[in-house]
């Protein structure tokens, strides 16, 4: 059974404004590489914002479903309480009209109309029973009224939450379309620039790190198993928005690795950087998440010795590289 690990709290990101047209292609190879680096950053940022909006939309839809479920339950409880009120009201009306052989419920009147001491005692015993029944009936009526009022308030609150969640979900759907359009445009620009690179610049882009890194003799907890899954995808190409099994972006690599173990992470690097518990640099161990930039725009899995496995950028592949300590903003441990 799939286990869903939700992010802690919602994150809202402003919708990007309309971007200016891309500048003309650079005149030389070094400028081409520089331009690709910038386009990669923009494409990654927009892709992660798109993922983040999707995560936020999923949360709002879950909130909406939960609120609707609570609304249905509250309405059922309110209906049951109203039925109880109707039942007790009949009994209360009977009590109000009761005379019991024209005997008043006033003890003094009972004494005055009694034919003998024994008759008086018999009538008083009857009055005690009537009073007890009347008290129980009235108390039940009062409780039924309170339950109905409480259920009605719960139904109104659940209805309000459901309405708000629906409004937020619809807003996020609009933002998602906007982000997707801008993301696709930036990704297309980055791909086109990548195609213009010379073999030398491609080498400069993908240089550093390694694609045959192995880790042995470590505990096999959930995080370490996921790390090994990620290491098994070394050499697979980076593709914006991809979640495997043969292409990945940075958060897609973590998402895929945990999914193989029956665990569903949030899709965006920003929300992935919130799962689990925070650790410090001196506490880092293989399997921990390492996240970069502010707001978070890149993420990888720590493998030890100051290195991480990650999907770096367009044109590159899944690999093990040194942790970018200067850009590190979050370290998290899951499990």
């Amino acid at each position: 059974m799939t286990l869903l690990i939700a992010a802690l709290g919602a994150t809202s990101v402003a919708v990007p404004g309309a971007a200016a047209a891309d500048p003309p292609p650079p005149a030389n190879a070094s400028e081409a590489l520089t331009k690709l680096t910038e386009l990669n950053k923009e494409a990654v940022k927009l892709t992660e914002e798109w993922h983040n909006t999707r995560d936020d939309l999923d949360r709002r839809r879950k909130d909406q479903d939960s609120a609707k479920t609570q609304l249905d339950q509250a309405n059922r409880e309110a209906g049951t309480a109203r039925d109880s009120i109707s039942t007790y009201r009949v009994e209360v009306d009977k009590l109000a009209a009761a005379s019991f052989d024209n005997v008043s419920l006033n003890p003094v009147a009972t004494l005055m109309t009694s034919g003998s001491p024994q008759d008086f005692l018999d009538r008083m015993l009857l009055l005690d029973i009537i009073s007890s029944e009347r008290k129980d009936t009235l108390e039940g009526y009062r409780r039924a009224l309170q339950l109905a009022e409480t259920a009605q308030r719960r139904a109104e609150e659940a209805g309000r939450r459901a309405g708000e969640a629906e409004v937020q979900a619809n807003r996020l759907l609009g933002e998602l379309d906007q982000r997707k359009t801008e993301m696709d445009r930036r990704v297309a620009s980055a791909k086109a620039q990548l195609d213009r690179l010379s073999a030398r610049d491609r080498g400069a882009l993908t240089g550093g790190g390694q694609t045959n890194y192995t880790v042995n003799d470590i505990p096999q907890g959930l995080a370490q198993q996921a790390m090994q899954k990620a290491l098994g995808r070394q050499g697979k190409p980076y593709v914006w928005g991809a979640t495997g099994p043969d292409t990945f972006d940075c958060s897609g690599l973590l998402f895929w690795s945990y999914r193989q173990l029956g665990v569903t992470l949030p899709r965006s690097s920003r929300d992935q950087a919130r799962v689990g518990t925070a650790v410090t640099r001196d506490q880092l161990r293989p399997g921990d998440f390492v996240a970069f930039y502010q707001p978070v725009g890149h993420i990888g899995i720590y493998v030890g010795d100051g290195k991480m496995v990650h999907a770096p950028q367009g044109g590159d592949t899944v690999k093990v590289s040194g942790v970018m300590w200067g850009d590190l903003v979050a370290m998290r441990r899951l499990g």
Side-chain angles (χ1 to χ4, degrees), residues 55-73 155 157-173:
D55 284 344
D56 205 7
L57 178 60
D58 287 343
R59 284 192 294 271
R60 293 296 173 266
R61 283 174 170 164
K62 288 183 177 66
D63 289 344
Q64 186 177 358
D65 290 343
S66 175
K68 286 182 177 178
T69 298
Q70 292 173 17
L71 175 60
D72 291 341
Q73 177 65 25
E157 175 62 19
R160 182 189 64 78
R161 290 198 308 272
E164 289 180 353
E166 183 175 7
V167 169
Q168 292 171 347
N170 289 335
R171 174 181 60 79
L172 287 168
L173 275 173

Side-chain angles (χ1 to χ4, degrees), residues 290-313:
V290 282
F292 307 89
Y293 312 125
Q294 193 62 261
V296 172
H298 188 65
I299 197 164
I301 300 177
Y302 188 68
V303 299
D305 297 326
K307 298 177 181 179
M308 64 178 175
V309 58
H310 65 143
Q313 59 182 334

Side-chain angles (χ1 to χ4, degrees), residues 89-107:
R89 183 174 289 133
V90 171
E91 298 301 318
V92 169
D93 290 344
K94 287 180 180 179
L95 284 175
S99 62
F100 294 92
D101 294 330
N102 296 319
V103 176
S104 170
L105 298 182
N106 188 317

Side-chain angles (χ1 to χ4, degrees), residues 14 30 63-64 76 78 106 123 127-128 133 138 164 192 204 215 235 264 295 300 312 323:
S30 61
D63 289 344
Q64 186 177 358
R76 286 193 295 270
N106 188 317
R123 291 192 181 200
L127 287 178
D128 286 343
E133 290 178 350
L138 293 175
E164 289 180 353
V215 177
T264 300
V323 174

Side-chain angles (χ1 to χ4, degrees), residues 139-151:
E139 178 63 21
Y141 185 52
R142 184 187 66 80
R143 286 198 305 269
L145 286 172
Q146 289 179 336
L147 288 173
E149 291 173 357
T150 300

Side-chain angles (χ1 to χ4, degrees), residues 33-278:
L33 187 57
T34 299
K35 181 181 177 184
L36 176 61
T37 300
E38 292 305 313
L39 287 173
N40 257 329
K41 288 180 180 179
E42 292 179 12
V44 167
K45 178 176 180 290
L46 290 168
T47 301
E48 287 302 311
E49 287 183 354
W50 179 61
H51 290 327
N52 193 66
T53 303
R54 289 178 63 187
D55 284 344
D56 205 7
L57 178 60
D58 287 343
R59 284 192 294 271
R60 293 296 173 266
R61 283 174 170 164
K62 288 183 177 66
D63 289 344
Q64 186 177 358
D65 290 343
S66 175
K68 286 182 177 178
T69 298
Q70 292 173 17
L71 175 60
D72 291 341
Q73 177 65 25
N75 282 332
R76 286 193 295 270
E77 291 175 0
T80 300
R82 284 192 292 270
D83 290 342
S84 296
I85 289 175
S86 298
T87 300
Y88 277 113
R89 183 174 289 133
V90 171
E91 298 301 318
V92 169
D93 290 344
K94 287 180 180 179
L95 284 175
S99 62
F100 294 92
D101 294 330
N102 296 319
V103 176
S104 170
L105 298 182
N106 188 317
V108 175
T110 299
L111 175 62
M112 297 298 294
T113 58
S114 298
S116 67
Q118 184 61 48
D119 185 30
F120 172 72
L121 292 176
D122 290 342
R123 291 192 181 200
M124 286 302 298
L125 178 60
L126 177 61
L127 287 178
D128 286 343
I129 294 172
I130 293 172
S131 297
S132 176
E133 290 178 350
R134 179 174 61 179
K135 180 180 179 181
D136 290 345
T137 299
L138 293 175
E139 178 63 21
Y141 185 52
R142 184 187 66 80
R143 286 198 305 269
L145 286 172
Q146 289 179 336
L147 288 173
E149 291 173 357
T150 300
Q152 184 62 36
R153 286 196 298 271
R154 287 185 57 214
E156 291 172 355
E157 175 62 19
R160 182 189 64 78
R161 290 198 308 272
E164 289 180 353
E166 183 175 7
V167 169
Q168 292 171 347
N170 289 335
R171 174 181 60 79
L172 287 168
L173 275 173
E175 291 184 12
L176 196 63
D177 289 341
Q178 288 180 270
R179 289 198 171 98
K180 183 68 165 61
T181 299
E182 182 64 11
M183 178 190 74
D184 288 345
R185 196 178 77 82
R186 285 300 179 186
V187 167
S189 296
K191 286 180 178 177
Q193 191 61 38
L194 179 61
D195 291 339
R196 297 189 185 103
L197 290 185
S198 66
R200 179 179 178 181
D201 279 339
R202 278 183 178 271
L205 178 70
T206 60
Q210 60 188 100
T211 57
N212 59 350
Y213 191 89
T214 59
V215 177
N216 300 312
D217 301 324
I218 61 171
Q220 285 299 299
L222 175 68
Q224 290 74 36
Q225 292 179 57
M227 179 192 72
Q228 295 287 17
K229 294 290 184 184
L231 287 170
R233 310 319 287 168
Q234 289 178 89
K236 299 297 184 182
Y238 180 104
V239 171
W240 296 272
T243 57
D246 296 316
T247 56
F248 302 89
D249 65 10
C250 68
S251 54
L253 178 62
L254 273 66
F255 183 87
W256 178 88
S257 299
Y258 273 86
R259 195 64 179 267
Q260 306 317 297
L261 302 172
V263 176
T264 300
L265 292 178
R267 183 58 186 87
S268 70
S269 60
R270 192 175 306 174
D271 278 345
Q272 288 175 357
R274 293 178 171 183
V275 302
T277 57

